[in-house]
Structures are given as structure tokens and as C-alpha cells.
Amino acid sequence: MARGKEVGAEAPGRPGGDGAGGAAVDAAGCAGEGEETRLRLLEAVVANAADAVVITDAKPFGDPGPGIVYVNEAFTRMTGYSAEEVMGRNPRFLQGPGTDRAVSARIRRGLERGETVRVELLNYKKDGTPFTVELIIAPVRGADGRVTHYTAIQRETTARREMEEALRRTNALLQAVVAASPVAIVVLDAAARIEAWNPAAERMFGWRAEEVLGRADPTVREDGAQASREIFERALGGEVVAGVETVRVKRDGTPVDVRTFTAPLERASGGGRRVVILLEDVTRRHRMEAALRESEALFRDTIDHAPLGMALVGMEGRIIHANRAAVELSGYSEEELRHLRFQQITHPDDVRADEAAFERLTAGEIESYQRRKRFIRKDGRAVWALVTRSMLRNSGGAPRYVITQIEDITERRAVEEGQRRLTAILEATTDLVGISDAGGRLVYLNHAWRKLSGVGEQDVSARMMTALHPAWAAEILVREGIPTAIREGSWTGETAVTLAGGGEIPVSQVVLAHRTPEGEVEFLSAVCRDISEGKRAEEWQRFLAEASRTISGSLQDGAILRQIPALLVPRLADYCIIDLVDDAGEVRREVVFDRDPARQALLEQTKRFPPTRDQPVGLGRVLRTGEPEVEQEITTAWLRAVSRSDEHQRLLQEIGPRSELIVPLRARGRIIGAITCAYTDSGRRYDQDDLVLGADLMERIALAIDNARLYDEVQRALRFRDEVLRVVAHDLRNPLHSIGLSAELLREMLPPGVLPSTHPDPLQIIRRSVERAGALIQDLLDVARMQAGKLQMAPRPTDAAGIVAEAVQLHAADAQQRGLALEVQVPDRLPAVRADRDRLLQVFSNVIGNALKFTPAGGRITISAQPEDGVVRFTVTDTGPGIARGGLLRLFEPFWQAPGAVGGAGLGLGIARGIVEAHGGRIWAESEEGVGTKVHFTLPVADAGAGPEERAPS
């Protein structure tokens, strides 16, 4: 027997001193031999009880609270803890994260009031396993009425709860099966009254369950009542009656052909029998059988009048029957064709292959085949046709005839030849060409694009057009490019395409929408041209213009030298050094610059080691030869070659250059110095292209430095010419500044045709970039106007259904790309609303875009609209993760974003609210975490009174 600490005794082994027995003895104060015997018996009962028994002292509640003084063996078996491990501990240590704290509080309140407490509580075993117990805790009082101990009896209920849960799940499953069954299920009691009536029965007959429960079956017609009663009696007697077809009646009197399955059903409690009836609606099958009989009668007429040529051919190849289209295609009469075999009207070059396929068909190797072949008409002219042959078998499965379908494809073949020639051209071009269907799924990529993106020819159809672009470029296409192309026919702009090995290149892109004769968009095509070199040259030209303006802004030597590092670091270098040669040929280290203060201090120390012109590499060589030098990877040998001493080498190794570019400063035919640019820990490296670009910049810097030197010399020699030199300085700055302005002006003034038509207009490129940045700027402006009450509106009657359709179309490609279903639920008659159409589209774009952003792949977004009292309510419903209540309250605040949101400025829904409220409507959201979110907004109907008038900013 597990022994606890004895209550009120020194020796655990003393008779009556263990566990509950000891507590009882002390509580009684003293007892006679009879009482001690009784207590020992009680102790034995407690120690060997199946329920766990715990006795604690009566210390005040709080921390640590009452401590355990006794537990029986059942407690050890239940929890895994031995008596020694729990002595003195408060029983709360058995509780864990899943324990209901309210139940714990209830136990404490009851015991503090001296009451017996009965609860169910979740505890944890020693190994961490949770288990549920039914717990009874009672206070033990001494002779004076004070509580001396608390006893707790615990019975584990985990198995019972699991069994109850399993039973609940089984019942729920059975109920779900019955509810989801497409077959009507009806249960009758022994008196033929309805006990159960599933949803399929409601749908089949029109009566709701509550209307028929307890009643006789209302679907039984009078003329079928006797037969129905007989079947019921047979089933009640234990017989299963299956496959009986009869006629029942719906609530509205409509007859229903049904097939019934009737069987006895025992009660689970062992009571009397019940009968279950399964009813299958066979009305449609009966109609189909009648229609089949009718279709058989029309079959021959259908064949004869089919627009596609059709013929019935015997197993030996003789034509048995040909329809009108086949007769017209061949030029023979039907009577003439019946005397011919198909080989006789096939082009000689195609006979052999056609016969081989026909033999495989008649031999049973294949069930059908399709091939292109040429027929020879009666007049001798050859026509191309797509021939489809399949085997027609009798009821026993034996081959009987070959059905041949013949489609004249002469014109189509000519078109395909033209397409093949076009494809050959597209495959040879260096431009990137792609074609997608109207939903954005690729159907073609030319060789140049497949090679660039690494997409195999067989993988093209599995990708979306937008997947070939980085995310920012895909967004431009989805939001601007494709909608504009669909609306206007084409769109041109700058995007980028993704490279096979990662990274991207900028491209000038044209998107074209191709329509059917009916005006529907059939497919989209995109043509992209690599403009990376142009962009790099353009960026470099802008940098040169900026550098020219910077270094030409002063004619003071010191000012120019201070400005040069800001131009070079960090754009072209991690640090830079400027060395100048004076009139005596001495080299002075004028400038060292690094943003890192520690490395700046090291660079300052290099002034102690001026270069010598006899150095084989590095600065000395550049000053000696006047040739620039690129050292892509600096090695220890290179550092040793440029070092003046070991100390100098150690200093250079501590500075840590990884790649260097040294360019001489040449002015008026002489070397006036050199600039050293170096990369350290940025990971960048110089190459020959940097050398070419750097030479142009250094030429300008050298000119500026030389001009500054000349200016300083003139200042020192001719002080009286100060005013004149200031004028000269002004005149030098203006032409340099005018060069930059004139370059852009010339682009505008160039007559048409001077630049190739395929070359992008640089100003147009800049303008497009500004337009894209303008979207965010416009959002910011809208927020500002909104907060100032100056948001412009031009409301007018607007087709609500049409605006919903347009909004869905604009987001269809994005939804498909994200793997989302986009649905519309709009009633047939929806009143017009009074709204600014463009602003309303902006609301839809912001709300739907937000739903697309947060709904995971495989989800659904539904856009619905319905008229209400004087307004139309629009709703966008998604199946995303939902929004917590705190987030729901802030959802329409500008700049607020949900936790974990990536991208965007958080303005979309705030702007949507401003636009809706400016129209006199309201916007709100409902959300359930794990289910999804609904965003509603209302707009006044066009005939519901004057809406908000157009507002102009004051």
C-alpha cells in the first residue's frame, strides 16, 4: 500500500497512522480500541480503493496552499507519481495549460466556504499525458468544528469522454450521410407514421420535415395506397423489398416516377420494428429512354443532314452509305459512291498510310484514329480533309461497320502554312515574343524568350504570362498593361523579364489584344525588347550630367576635391583616393575618403607612403604611362608590388581593397594626377566596362581640376581681374548647364524618322516611369484631399451590373494567376447608381485587390450586388484567413496594414471609404477568423434623389 505522510504522528508505521486513517484519528482526538479498528478498516479500504484518494492539510489557500499528506496506490497508478514525490506539494501541480482556470477557481471558492465540491477537471500525468477526472473534495473537521484536512476522491473519466466523443462523431457522420444523400430516405414507425424525412426527400417532394413528421406518408397516391401498404407490411415482417417502381406525388400535385427500396429497421434500444424506405427519382431516366427511342428514329435524318461529311464503310473498305456533305465533297453521287472502295477516291500518295490505319482499326488494335489525307474528287481536283474513323459494334461487341467523318480542311491548311511561316520568323527574331489566351495562360513563347527564361517548350502551356516577369513588373501588366490593351487595343511601357538563373533585365514591352470578329478578346500577345544597355547608358548619362553640374559648380580647387568623393562613394566605389602632380612633378595625396571612420583613419596614414613612378603596377605605373588600370581581384602579390615597405603592405592589407580602378587625370595633354576607386567588403568588382565609363568621368574631373588650378593661378597673379574672372566663371557654368538641358530639348525637336521606329523614345520612357510613380502619388493626394474634404467627384447615373462586370474582368487575370476562383452574383434587374464611374472602379480595384492579396490559392472571391432601400449594396466576399476584431476596427484607416502584410502603403481601403462616403454611401466589413471576410458598401440609386454633386477643390 502506498503510504503518505502521517497526519499528527511521528512514525509512519504506527497502526492507524497512515493516510486517511491517521487524519481520522487526529480529527477525533482520541478513540477507543473499537474506533481504532474501524479506522484501520477504513484505511485499508481507502488504500486499496480503485479511485484515487488524496488528503491534504488545511493550510491557508494561496502560495503554497494546502499540501498533500496522503495518497493511495490508485493515485500512483493514475498519475505516475509515487507518494514520496508528491508529499507536501499542492495538488495544483497536476494542472497544466489545458486546465480550465474557472474550474480551479470554483474549487477554491467552495473549499473556502467549507463546502464539498464536485467538478470535472483536466489534469496531467507525470509523463505529460492529459487525463480527465471526476473530482469530489470535502473538508474534514475536528472535534471543535475547524477544518483540519481536505479529502479528494478522483475517478478518471478520460475513456468515458473518448467513448462519448466517438459516439457523437459516429452519430454526426450518420446524420451527415443521411442529410447529404441524393436519395430520399423516409423512416416509418410500426403505425406507418413518418419518423424521419431527409433533405433529399424535401427536395424531391416539396414537404419540409416538420410538416410530415408524425403523419402518414403524403406522397402515396390513392391508386397506389394498397400496394404501398402491402410492401410496408412485408418489410415490417422482416422482408427486404427492393427495386419496386411506382408513382408518388409532390406537394404541388406533380407525379414523380420513383424506384423504392424498403427494409426493416430495428430500434437500437431493442424496441419494436421500424421501416426505412429509400426512394430514387427515375423520372429523368424514363424520359431519357423515351428520348432515346425518338433519337433512334431521327438518327439517319441527322446523319444525312449533318454539315460534316459522314460515311458508313464496310469491313472490307466499301462505302455503304454517304450523307449529303460527303457526296458534295467527293463530287460523286451517293449511288456512285456505293460502288467504290475508299482507296479508289484517296490520293495515291496517301493510300498506303490510310490502309494501314484502317487495317489496325478493323483488326481491333485501335478503336478509332484521325489523320489528314487528300481525296480525289470526281473532277480530278485534290482536296485536303481531316478524316476520323471509329468502329461501330453490334450489341454483342462484334465489329460491324466503320463510321467515317470527313472535314474539308483545304482552307485551314493554307492558313496553317501561313502560321508556320510566321512561327519560323518569330522563332528567328531576337525580340521576346509571347502569346497567351484571354485569361493570361501562355500558348506560345518564341525561342529567344524560352532561352532567356529557361522555360522548356513543353512547359509553356503550364505557365501564366505574368509568371515570366518579376512581381513589380507583373503588377504593372495586371493593373495597367493588360486592361489598357483590352480597352484600347494595345499598351506600351517599360517592364522587366525574369532570367533563367535569377535576376531580371529591363525591357520595352508592347501588349496587344486580338479579338474575334464578334469583338471578344481571343488572345493577347506581348513583344519585349532588351533595353538594359540603353538603361545603363541612360543612367550613366544622367550621372555624368549630375557630376558635371556638381564639379562645375565651383572653380575652387579645394571645393571640387571635396565634391568628388560624394560623386564616387558609394555609387562607384567603397572608398576613393585623389593624387595630384604639382608643377615640379611631385605627387601629393590630396584626398582620401571612406564613409567608415575606422578605414578613413587608415587611409589617412597612406599619405606617408607616396608612390614611385617605377612601380610595375598600381598608381606609379598609371602616373608613368598615362594608361588606366583595372585590377578585378587584388592579390597579395599585387599588394607587395605597390608597397613601399612591409609597414606599408600591412597597412594596405588592413584597409582591405578587393578590386581597384585607377584612372589618370589628363588635362591639356599632361597627367595632372590620378583617382583610385576601390571596392572592399561590398562584394562588387570592376571590369573593362567600368574602365570605359570611368574614363569619361575622369576626363571631366580632370578638366574641372585643371580649370580650378588655372583659376587659382590667375587669381593669385591677377587680383585686379577678379570681377572679369567671376564673369568668366559664370559663363563657364551656364554652357555646361545648357548642354544637359539641350540634350533633352533636341530629343523633342528631332523630326519623325530620325530614330528607328523600334527604338524607345527616352522621354517617353521617363514619362512612363513618372506615370507609374504617379499612382502612389495620386493615392497620397487622394488621402490628403479626403481628409480636407476636397475629394473631386463627378456622379452621374451608372449601370451597376456593368460596373461589376468591368471590375471583375480587370481582375480576372490576377485571380487566375493566384489560383483563385472569381465569381459574380448579380440579379437580372439591378437599378443604376449615382456614381463617378472611374472612382467606383477605383473602389472595386482597391477592395478586390485586397481580397486577392490575402486569399490563399484555391480560395474563392465573390462579387455580389443587390438593391436595398434606395441604395445598391455591393459585397466582396473572400475565403481568406479572416481579420481579428481589433484589425476589423482599423481596417479602413489610411496607412494601417494587417500584421504580416507585405507590400503596399495601406491606403487602398482608406481611399475606398473616402470615395464611398463622398458618394453619400457607407462601407463596412464583416469577418470570421479562419472563414473569410466580407466588405460591403452602398451607393444611392440614380432615381433615389439628388446625390452628391461634383465638387471642385477650393
Side-chain angles (χ1 to χ4, degrees), residues 20-32:
V25 170
D26 289 349
C30 61

Side-chain angles (χ1 to χ4, degrees), residues 778-788 791 894-895 907 910-911:
Q778 186 59 45
D779 281 351
L780 294 170
L781 290 174
D782 283 344
V783 170
R785 290 172 182 148
M786 214 166 48
Q787 293 174 344
L791 192 63
F895 304 103
L907 300 175
I911 292 172

